Amino acid sequence: MIADVMLAVMWVGLTCYALFAGADFGAGFWDLFAGRAGRGRQRRSLIEHSIGPVWEANHVWLIFVLVMLWSCFPPVFAAVLSTLCIPLTLAALGIIARGAAFAFRKASTALWQQRLFGACFAVSSVVTPLFLGAVAGGIASGRVPPGIAEGDTVTSWLNPTSALGGVIAVLTCAHLAAVYLCADAVREGDTVRAAEFRRASAAGGLACGAVALAGIAVLDQDAPVLFHGLTHRALPLVVVGAVAGLADLALLLRHRYVLARGAAALAVAAILWAWGVAQYPRMLVPSTTVEGTAAHTSVLVACLISVAVGFVVLVPSLWLLYATFQRSPVPGGPRGPRSGGGTEPGGGTAA
């Protein structure tokens, strides 16, 4: 029982990482397609201001998930990190390159340097969720057997389900970021950018839906266990995700950006939990179960106590951080309202 509790706690952390860090990665996606220096300056200014204060904090959730997996389900940790060592290493390098480039671009004054570091930041923001999605696809399709590097280190992440997972991860991140940036642009008084990101978020949402529908055939052939779970036990969550996605698009059309954020987050969370429910009680497909890989009860209890204590500190701190930088700027202050019609840099920059 306690093993199931720890698995659920770990999945909560994974959901938080998808929602918060996913939006950060998506912001880099739109940075990549923001346009040349003059045309894209206002978009990049808004992106930098939106993610600047929080982008480092979001990776707390990834560390949390990895530590929980290592401590509570060590055989699964060993199998996943050894078999999928290539995409996980590339994802880690992408996170490092992305963070360094984001910081260096802010400190650079020459245009060529800003372009160089900006390109590194944007490309890393796209390839990192691509590799993480490939990892999820390898696990879900049963290509990670128990044991140290027992699976093929290449085909475990270069396969149809991993390709589907990578594409959906990138599109989901882009959609989340565009939805979040709509509200940020309105709060900054930038109605032009709000309209641009509204169109981008609608396009991203439709693309996610189209790829998900096309992926049904992929899962049916390449990941039958996952497909069966999604169409049976986890079907209610799939329906919730689909309804929330449609509600998200409707709210965007009505310019209800704050509610659209909630709907988009619910859609992503529902699909992520649908995967977990569809695969449960298997940690590794086809037969490695939660109970069979869980650590000793004393270790699980110690982890649960540590998580409870840590959340008392972590959750209020993150809440304060996000709330502080979600407040509307004071009119006429250093980040006063912008029309977004000019080409001069916006007032909002990364903290």
Side-chain angles (χ1 to χ4, degrees), residues 312-333:
V312 171
V313 178
L314 176 64
V315 174
S317 300
L318 290 178
W319 180 271
L320 177 62
L321 175 65
Y322 291 127
T324 298
F325 289 96
Q326 288 293 309
R327 294 170 183 165
S328 299
V330 178

Side-chain angles (χ1 to χ4, degrees), residues 7 10 27-28 38-40 45 62 65-66 69-70 85 87 98 131 143 162 182 212 215 243 248-249 262 328 333:
L7 176 62
M10 186 180 73
R39 179 174 175 270
S45 176
L62 178 61
V65 170
L66 290 175
L69 184 63
W70 177 29
C85 58
R98 180 180 181 273
F131 289 129
R143 289 182 167 89
S162 290
C182 286
V243 172
D248 169 32
L249 294 177
S328 299

Side-chain angles (χ1 to χ4, degrees), residues 4 7-8 11-12 14-15 140 225-240 268-283 285 290:
D4 293 331
L7 176 62
W11 216 258
V12 169
L14 184 62
T15 303
V225 173
L226 177 62
F227 177 80
H228 182 270
L230 291 175
T231 53
H232 290 79
R233 177 190 298 174
L235 185 58
L237 285 170
V238 174
V239 173
V240 169
V268 174
I271 296 303
L272 191 60
W273 278 80
W275 170 30
V277 171
Q279 189 170 316
Y280 181 84
R282 305 173 187 88
M283 292 289 286
V285 177
V290 175

Side-chain angles (χ1 to χ4, degrees), residues 196-219:
E196 291 176 350
F197 282 115
R198 182 177 69 250
R199 292 190 292 269
S201 58
L206 292 173
C208 284
V211 173
L213 288 175
I216 293 175
V218 174
L219 295 181

